[in-house]
């Protein structure tokens, strides 16, 4: 797999906040703890070791994970990693993702590969410590419409059903119908057979979405020691009880995140999420609704559930599993129950993590390092050859399509489609007219300015008409450019945000993930283009 890289800024698909962060812009430093460089992990390890998990908390974490894996055939290295979590010299590298049907978009793989590869790199640099790659399943999310489909070769494979409550507890009933529809699209061959088996084993032989997703991620990544966490358990939430109590009584997250949001806005950036006064949901089998505090009463919206302060604190002690953190508090929950050093996420995720450091300081929890996950564009050898024939650079491919077609039209056209010289000449003529106007009636200045605007506009229209004419003349070549870009950027979006992994697995089978492990370098900080 030949690879090349461009900067994230050159892709035009990442926010200025993320690009500024990757370039270590000084103004952003108050928003994070340490920048993710290999040498900076030493201090992060020392800080987490000093202020991290107790021996008892580590034991609870390890035992809870073993219980979760009872119905999953874990690899020996995964079991060793779960056992190693009991030790004070073991730390985690974590990514998280929703329970998207059949992994959802391709970047699901990139997130986990980034996590595995960083763990390996850290072990080489700091051999006296253990580093465990973690995939945190978002089992408590409730937005079913975000996860109930994936795209396969331009078609949407979708699971239609009514859903409420936490998605991890959703029954997999009805996915046998989805399997039949997907199976027909796969065709024949060993790789098609492997994908059928993977889908069927995951979704028709597990009773809920959490277990199905664990099976799937384990089947893909168990060989690399990936540990999959479902934090929606009573024993793990018991470790989070003091922070739930603080949130209910003092509403610290709202106060601290609101202050940080003002700083982010002063820096010229928007904020990703807005905190609520209470950033917790109440969770039961069919219910996940916000907790609010009004008129000295705690209540659950869209229900008749309510408590006094003493009653809700008693509920927390008795049933911590019923309290579910929202997007503001979930990162804190993660860092409380894991010996974590670094969170790996996409641009949107890192943007809301940047809102949280002051809150972490307030509640005295170590803020993790934040690393942008690997991003990649996969090209076939044939597509690479077409790109070369069309004389397209890698940066060209990432241009807005209209900008790309105009650029290629100018390059291919025998006629120069640039009226800059004519505009400059016109502006010089009007400069002389302005001098003349200043010597006569001042009202003449307005007439000169209006005529200048009219003639400049006329030149611009002529340039557009010439561009349009040349596009028609070069239509065949431009269509090849357009076709290639549409193949690599489905729906004018990044491939990784649209396509599922299955078409690439059909082509490359079991070699796909080892090749991604080989090519994606999490600390390199560039967008990777892979030709296969």
């Amino acid at each position: 797999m030949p690879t090349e890289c461009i900067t994230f800024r050159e892709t035009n698909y990442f926010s200025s906040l993320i690009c500024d962060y990757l370039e270590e812009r000084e103004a952003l430093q108050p928003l994070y703890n340490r920048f993710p460089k290999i040498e900076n992990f030493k201090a992060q390890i020392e800080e987490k070791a000093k202020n991290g998990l107790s021996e008892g908390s580590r034991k609870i974490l390890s035992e809870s994970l073993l219980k979760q894996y009872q119905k999953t055939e874990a690899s020996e290295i995964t079991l060793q990693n779960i056992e190693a979590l009991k030790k004070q010299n073991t730390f985690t590298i974590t990514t998280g993702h929703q329970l998207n049907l059949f992994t959802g978009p391709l970047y699901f793989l990139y997130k986990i590969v980034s996590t595995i590869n960083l763990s390996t790199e850290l072990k080489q640099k700091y051999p006296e410590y253990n580093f465990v790659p973690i995939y945190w399943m978002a089992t408590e999310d409730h937005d079913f419409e975000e996860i109930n489909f994936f795209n396969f070769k331009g078609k949407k494979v979708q699971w239609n059903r009514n859903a409420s409550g936490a998605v991890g507890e959703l029954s997999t009933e009805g996915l046998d119908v989805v399997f039949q529809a997907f199976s027909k699209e796969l065709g024949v061959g060993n790789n098609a057979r492997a994908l059928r088996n993977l889908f069927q084993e995951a979704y028709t032989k597990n009773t809920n979405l959490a277990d199905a997703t664990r099976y799937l991620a384990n089947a893909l990544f168990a060989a690399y020691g990936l540990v999959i966490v479902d934090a929606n358990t009573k024993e793990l939430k018991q470790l989070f009880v003091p922070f739930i109590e603080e949130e209910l009584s003092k509403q610290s997250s709202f106060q601290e995140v609101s202050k940080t949001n003002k700083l982010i806005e002063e820096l010229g950036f928007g904020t990703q999420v807005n905190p609520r006064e209470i950033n917790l949901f109440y969770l039961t089998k069919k219910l996940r609704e916000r907790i609010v505090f009004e008129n000295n009463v705690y209540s659950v919206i869209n229900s008749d559930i309510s408590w006094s302060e003493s009653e809700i604190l008693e509920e927390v002690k008795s049933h911590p599993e019923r309290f579910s953190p929202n997007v503001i508090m979930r990162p804190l929950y993660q860092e409380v129950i894991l010996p974590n050093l670094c969170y790996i996420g996409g641009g949107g995720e890192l943007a809301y993590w940047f809102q949280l450091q002051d809150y972490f300081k307030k509640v005295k929890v170590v803020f993790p390092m934040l690393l942008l996950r690997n991003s990649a564009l996969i090209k076939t050898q044939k597509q690479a050859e077409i790109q070369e024939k069309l004389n397209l650079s890698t940066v060209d491919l990432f241009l807005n399509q209209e900008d790309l077609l105009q650029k290629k039209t100018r390059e291919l056209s025998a006629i120069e489609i640039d009226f800059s010289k004519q505009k400059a000449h016109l502006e010089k003529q009007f400069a002389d007219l302005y001098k003349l106007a200043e010597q006569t009636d001042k009202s003449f200045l307005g007439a000169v300015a209006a005529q200048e605007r009219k003639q400049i506009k006329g030149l611009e229209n002529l340039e557009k008409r010439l561009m349009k004419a040349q596009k028609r003349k070069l239509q065949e070549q431009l269509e090849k450019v357009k076709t290639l870009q549409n193949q690599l950027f489905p729906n004018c979006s990044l491939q990784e945000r649209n396509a599922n992994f299955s078409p690439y697995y059909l082509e490359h089978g079991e070699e796909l993930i080892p090749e991604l492990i080989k090519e994606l370098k999490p600390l390199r900080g560039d967008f990777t283009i892979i030709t296969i």
Side-chain angles (χ1 to χ4, degrees), residues 286-525:
K286 295 291 184 181
L287 176 78
R288 187 177 187 252
E289 295 284 1
R290 288 194 298 115
I291 298 171
V292 296
F293 182 61
E294 296 172 335
N295 302 318
N296 292 320
V297 174
Y298 294 88
S299 60
V300 179
I301 65 169
N302 299 320
S303 80
D304 57 2
I305 303 169
S306 63
W307 309 269
S308 67
E309 182 173 6
S310 61
E311 287 170 340
I312 197 170
L313 293 177
E314 182 57 39
E315 179 78 354
V316 171
K317 286 185 173 65
S318 303
H319 298 286
E321 72 279 6
R322 295 178 184 172
F323 292 82
S324 177
N326 74 354
V327 65
I328 293 288
M329 286 198 72
R330 190 214 64 78
L332 181 70
Y333 181 34
Q334 171 190 296
E335 298 303 309
V336 166
I337 69 171
L338 294 177
N340 196 48
L341 302 175
C342 179
Y343 183 76
I344 299 178
E349 290 175 283
L350 264 55
Y352 71 70
W353 274 89
F354 289 143
Q355 297 173 241
L356 302 177
Q357 181 172 224
D358 286 342
Y359 172 43
F360 271 65
K361 287 179 180 176
K362 177 72 174 178
V363 295
K364 298 181 172 58
V365 174
V366 177
F367 197 65
M369 298 167 83
L370 302 176
L371 178 63
L372 185 67
R373 63 168 173 81
N374 280 117
S375 281
L377 174 68
I378 298 176
K379 295 186 298 189
T380 65
Q381 189 62 49
K382 184 178 179 181
Q383 287 168 334
E385 289 167 2
I386 293 170
Q387 179 187 343
E388 187 174 357
K389 285 179 184 176
L390 294 172
N391 194 29
L392 289 167
S393 71
T394 296
V395 174
D396 285 342
L397 290 174
F398 285 83
L399 290 173
N400 170 279
Q401 190 163 94
E402 184 56 33
D403 292 341
L404 173 60
L405 294 177
Q406 288 199 19
K407 181 176 187 290
K408 292 309 295 180
T409 301
R410 286 191 169 92
E411 288 176 8
L412 294 167
S413 176
I415 303 169
E416 186 176 11
I417 313 173
D418 185 357
F419 285 8
S420 298
K421 291 177 183 176
Q422 289 84 348
K423 288 177 188 175
H425 180 65
L426 194 62
E427 287 166 358
K428 184 177 183 302
Q429 287 181 316
F430 273 93
D432 292 338
L433 282 173
Y434 280 121
K435 289 177 184 177
L436 181 63
E438 288 170 358
Q439 297 171 31
T440 183
D441 190 340
K442 293 294 175 79
S443 64
F444 187 48
L445 281 169
V448 172
Q451 189 63 28
E452 181 185 28
R453 286 195 299 272
K454 182 178 178 180
Q455 293 198 33
I456 291 290
K457 186 70 175 176
L459 279 175
E460 289 173 347
N461 286 336
L462 284 172
E463 187 175 355
K464 287 177 183 176
R465 290 185 68 176
L466 180 58
M467 173 65 74
K468 196 172 181 179
Q470 288 302 95
K471 279 185 179 179
R472 284 197 298 269
K473 188 174 181 180
L474 299 165
Q475 184 176 359
E476 186 177 342
Q477 289 160 288
L478 293 177
E479 197 60 38
K480 292 176 182 177
V481 171
K482 188 175 176 180
T483 298
L484 177 63
Q485 193 185 48
N486 287 343
Q487 288 173 353
L488 295 174
F489 296 82
N491 295 329
C492 297
S493 176
L494 282 179
Q495 178 192 76
E496 63 181 34
R497 297 177 187 172
N498 187 284
N500 183 253
F501 82 97
S502 48
Y504 305 94
Y505 193 96
L506 270 181
E507 185 71 24
H508 304 286
E510 293 181 352
E511 295 178 4
L512 176 64
I513 288 176
E515 287 293 343
L516 293 176
I517 293 283
K518 177 184 172 185
E519 299 296 345
L520 297 179
K521 311 296 182 187
L523 295 178
R524 189 164 54 193

Side-chain angles (χ1 to χ4, degrees), residues 61 63 119 168 194 208 225 231 464 487 496:
L61 173 63
E63 290 176 352
S119 299
N208 64 52
K464 287 177 183 176
Q487 288 173 353
E496 63 181 34

Side-chain angles (χ1 to χ4, degrees), residues 31-59:
L31 305 180
Y32 61 92
N33 192 2
R34 296 179 180 89
F35 193 78
K37 295 178 178 178
I38 193 74
E39 63 270 19
N40 290 346
F41 276 90
K42 181 64 173 174
Q44 190 75 18
I45 290 168
E46 291 171 352
E47 185 179 13
K48 191 68 178 182
K50 184 178 179 182
N51 302 284
L53 271 65
S54 67
E55 186 176 331
S57 295
R58 284 176 173 273
K59 187 171 184 287

